Structure formats: structure tokens, C-alpha cells
Amino acid sequence: GQQVMQIPQYQHVQEGEDFTTYCNSSTTLSNIQWYKQRPGGHPVFLIQLVKSGEVKKQKRLTFQFGEAKKNSSLHITATQTTDVGTYFCAGHTGNQFYFGTGTSLTVIP
Amino acid sequence: GAGVSQSPSNKVTEKGKDVELRCDPISGHTALYWYRQSLGQGLEFLIYFQGNSAPDKSGLPSDRFSAERTGGSVSTLTIQRTQQEDSAVYLCASSPGQGLNGYTFGSGTRLTVV
């Protein structure tokens, strides 16, 4: 069945270091969305990418959608303590909407 | 309302009891999902409603789980004869159309079965 895996599962970084999470789908996705879930909170939508090879930036966050539309990445430059949380990718295949396994980010001040 | 509202926020129930969890999506949102999230885990798809179409129930883990969506708005997730493994946070998300511009999540219901 459809699987969306993310690596790493956990990441600890010193404040100011960069961070990247990778998302890999077993099937082609029509789009990729990224969500952030703060500890004790609920997922909050960050961004959507639709086109093959698309790159979008939000301040220190850079999102990429792979050429084959089966993988994606989220890169955070110079992490801050406010970046702490779990980052999920998610995507549509037809009417199905699958979430990745998530990457939990800890930022050490 | 302004956001997706879920109630109750917390529910403690005894094993074997039935529970009902409620989701009020954003007005006008036709797409509604239920997910389950165990502590420190990812989001497990349960069920998907889209407008007046038949729901996609393929994620429901057993026949003890059922969900309804009345009038294309409020949704209720019912768990019968609860088991300890049902303990989790149940999240509801809604979106206009097909969710192609992101889903808005509610704050969830934390269910604890004792």
C-alpha cells in the first residue's frame, strides 16, 4: 500500500545549525504539503508544492518537490528554538491523502 | 466558526464503554478527515468525507469504529466497546474542496481508556 516515509525520525541540533527532513513516497503524488506540529499541539499547514521540481521559500524554510513527484525536502537555515516541533509531509494520490511519519526536531539553545 | 472545533478536548472512559467524539468543521468546508495519533507517533488515517459522496472508510481499524457526517457539516466518530489500545488523540481536519490548499486541524480529543 501507499507509504510516505520521512527521515530522520528525530533530529537534535544546536541553535543556529541547519536542519533538513526528507520525505519519500512509494507512489507519485499530485501535490506535497508540509505541516508543523508543536509539542502538545495539532498540525498546522505550512505550504503546498504542486509542480515537479518546484522550490518555495518561507523566510528560513526552503521546500522542494522532487522531479518525479515522489519525494520532497524541508530545509531550515539557522534553526531557532521556535522551530521545535514535528514536521510532517503529506500528499494526495487521487482522493487519498497520506501523511508522512514525521521528523521531530529539537533545538538546543 | 473561525476554526475546526472538536469536543470533548479530553475524555477518560472505562474499557468496554462507548464514546462519541465530535468535530465541527469550518463552515462551508466540504472535505473532512479523521486521524488518530498515538503518543509520539504519526497520523493514522481513519475516514474521509467529501461533500455528499460516500465516505472513504478504508482506514477504520475495526468494526467498533464508525463515523457520520450530518448535513455535510458536523461529524461524529463513535468507538464502541473501547479498548486500551484505542487511547490516542483523535484529530479532525477540514478543507474547502479537495484540500489542495491545505487542511485546517482541530485541537483534537485526547481519549484515555482505563
Side-chain angles (χ1 to χ4, degrees), chain B:
Chain B
V4 177
S5 177
Q6 289 189 246
S7 61
S9 55
N10 281 284
K11 176 71 176 179
V12 180
T13 190
E14 291 181 351
K15 178 181 173 181
K17 300 282 190 183
D18 298 352
V19 294
E20 282 190 355
L21 312 180
R22 178 186 169 103
C23 172
D24 277 284
I26 292 173
S27 178
H29 280 196
T30 56
L32 187 149
Y33 279 88
W34 282 97
Y35 291 91
R36 178 168 72 173
Q37 187 173 36
S38 299
L39 186 62
Q41 301 298 310
L43 281 78
E44 176 188 3
F45 164 73
L46 296 178
I47 190 167
Y48 166 56
F49 295 91
Q50 176 58 263
N52 295 319
S53 302
D56 178 349
K57 303 178 180 181
S58 60
L60 295 178
S62 76
D63 58 8
R64 296 185 296 104
F65 288 72
S66 63
E68 290 185 338
R69 189 178 185 192
T70 53
S73 180
V74 172
S75 179
T76 302
L77 177 69
T78 301
I79 309 173
Q80 296 178 312
R81 305 180 303 282
T82 52
Q83 304 294 313
Q84 287 187 330
E85 61 262 29
D86 299 334
S87 296
V89 175
Y90 289 81
L91 290 161
C92 173
S94 74
S95 172
Q98 302 290 330
L100 300 182
N101 289 300
Y103 288 87
T104 302
F105 279 81
S107 298
T109 294
R110 181 176 299 277
L111 175 65
T112 303
V113 182
V114 297

Side-chain angles (χ1 to χ4, degrees), chain A residues 4-103:
Chain A
V4 182
M5 305 299 292
Q6 283 183 251
I7 55 171
Q9 185 176 2
Y10 301 98
Q11 184 77 63
H12 290 68
V13 299
Q14 288 289 144
E15 188 173 15
E17 291 182 339
D18 293 356
F19 160 76
T20 303
T21 172
Y22 299 91
C23 172
N24 294 287
S25 170
S26 58
T27 61
T28 301
L29 300 170
S30 56
N31 63 347
I32 196 82
Q33 298 180 0
W34 283 92
Y35 292 77
K36 176 182 178 181
Q37 184 175 25
R38 293 183 183 273
H42 56 275
V44 174
F45 174 72
L46 295 177
I47 205 164
Q48 172 173 272
L49 299 96
V50 178
K51 299 178 183 177
S52 170
E54 188 172 9
V55 177
K56 286 189 176 181
K57 292 190 176 184
Q58 285 182 350
K59 296 182 181 179
R60 294 179 294 103
L61 278 62
T62 301
F63 304 84
Q64 291 188 316
F65 198 11
E67 294 290 339
K69 301 183 78 171
K70 295 177 72 173
N71 54 65
S72 179
S73 66
L74 158 59
H75 180 81
I76 302 178
T77 303
T79 54
Q80 300 175 359
T81 54
T82 52
D83 295 326
V84 165
T86 301
Y87 292 84
F88 291 97
C89 64
H92 285 91
T93 300
N95 289 326
Q96 296 285 340
F97 188 60
Y98 297 97
F99 272 82
T101 47
T103 295

